[in-house]
Every structure is written in C-alpha cells, then in structure tokens.
C-alpha cells in the first residue's frame, strides 16, 4: 500500500485537454520542504482518472521537473516517463511511476535557482477528454516504472 500526503499532491483529477505542455496545478516549494526524506528516494505516482481520448491522441509524456517559477515555466526535467501509450492509461491500469533520473537527483536547496518541483503533462495531440492525478510518494506501488530511452538505471 502506498501512503500519500495531501501536501505532496500535485494534481487532483486535473484536466489535460490541450496538445501543449500543461503544468501540474500545484508544485512543491523546496525552500519550505528541502528534505524530501533523508536516505530515501521518492517518485511521482500518476493515475488517469479519465483516460485521454479524441483528436488521435496516442501518447502522453509525464515529466518530473524543477523550475524557478511557481507555474513551472522554463522547467528542467529531472525524470520522465517517455511517451506512454493511451492504451496503458485505463482506470484499472497500475499508476505511472516517474523517479528522478540518478544523474539529475541533486535537487536545489535553500532557494538556489530551481525552487519548485512539479509535473509537466505533454499529450502528443489535443485530447478532448483526459484527467490525471499525481502525488509524490516514498514507496510507489506497484513497482512499475517508465524511463526514457537511453537512461542508465543503476
């Protein structure tokens, strides 16, 4: 079972109905919560609450990002699902888990440049429907992960 914290919720049934990149409705201010868990990794756990459909949408990419702006403008990708087929985003599918890439895990602390942590959703077309929920967790379940091609997993 995965335990969640409401303060670490990034999206709650957030509508994704544009072909553009869409920032999560919330972000984590790392100057307020710089310690994400001493000695423990974290992940973003993302679930489709309404499966994207319409206008030939085939995939959605989920990026875990940091940014200097609250709205996650000019984000730096620290982890990515790569393109996830819409067919894998059913209501009964396991959640998508995005972990920070080990090469990018040095998160900023004490207000250094990229202060905010969040999710960027990028559908490959403009869906007419589609909602996602995302939260940061220490122990995602089940153990299903998506990494972009070329990532080195240690």
């Amino acid at each position: 079972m995965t335990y969640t914290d409401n303060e670490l919720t990034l999206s709650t049934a957030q509508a994704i109905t544009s072909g553009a990149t869409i920032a999560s409705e919330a972000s984590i201010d790392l100057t307020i919560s710089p310690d994400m868990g001493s000695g423990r990794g974290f992940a973003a756990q993302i679930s489709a609450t309404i499966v994207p459909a319409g206008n030939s949408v085939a995939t959605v990419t989920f990026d875990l990002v940091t940014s200097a702006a609250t709205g996650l403008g000019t984000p730096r990708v620290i982890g990515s699902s790569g393109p996830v087929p819409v067919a894998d985003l059913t209501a009964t599918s396991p959640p998508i888990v995005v972990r920070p890439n080990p090469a990018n895990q040095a998160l900023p602390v004490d207000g250094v440049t990229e202060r905010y942590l969040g999710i960027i959703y990028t559908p490959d077309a403009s869906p007419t429907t589609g909602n996602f929920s995302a939260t940061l967790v220490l122990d995602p379940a089940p153990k299903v992960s998506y990494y972009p091609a070329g990532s080195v997993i240690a």
Side-chain angles (χ1 to χ4, degrees):
M1 171 179 236
T2 301
Y3 293 97
T4 61
D5 179 335
N6 194 46
E7 299 297 317
L8 297 176
T9 298
L10 300 170
S11 297
T12 304
Q14 182 176 351
I16 307 300
T17 55
S18 140
T21 58
I22 300 162
S24 54
E25 57 198 7
S27 60
I28 307 296
D29 184 341
L30 296 172
T31 62
I32 295 172
S33 304
D35 184 359
M36 294 295 288
S38 181
R40 295 186 67 186
F42 68 94
Q45 185 168 284
I46 305 153
S47 299
T49 51
I50 297 176
V51 177
N55 294 330
S56 302
V57 65
T59 65
V60 179
T61 300
F62 305 95
D63 292 324
L64 183 61
V65 301
T66 58
S67 176
T70 56
L72 303 177
T74 316
R76 178 173 70 102
V77 176
I78 62 169
S80 180
S81 66
V84 177
V86 170
D88 292 349
L89 299 173
T90 66
T92 58
S93 297
I96 303 301
V97 175
V98 179
R99 292 180 173 83
N101 184 316
N104 296 324
Q105 278 191 343
L107 295 176
V109 207
D110 298 329
V112 176
T113 60
E114 294 167 340
R115 166 178 177 172
Y116 300 97
L117 177 69
I119 298 285
I120 297 286
Y121 304 96
T122 309
D124 67 344
S126 295
T128 54
T129 63
N131 290 20
F132 292 96
S133 292
T135 190
L136 297 180
V137 297
L138 291 177
D139 300 308
K143 301 290 183 190
V144 176
S145 299
Y146 291 88
Y147 297 95
S151 291
V152 176
I153 309 303

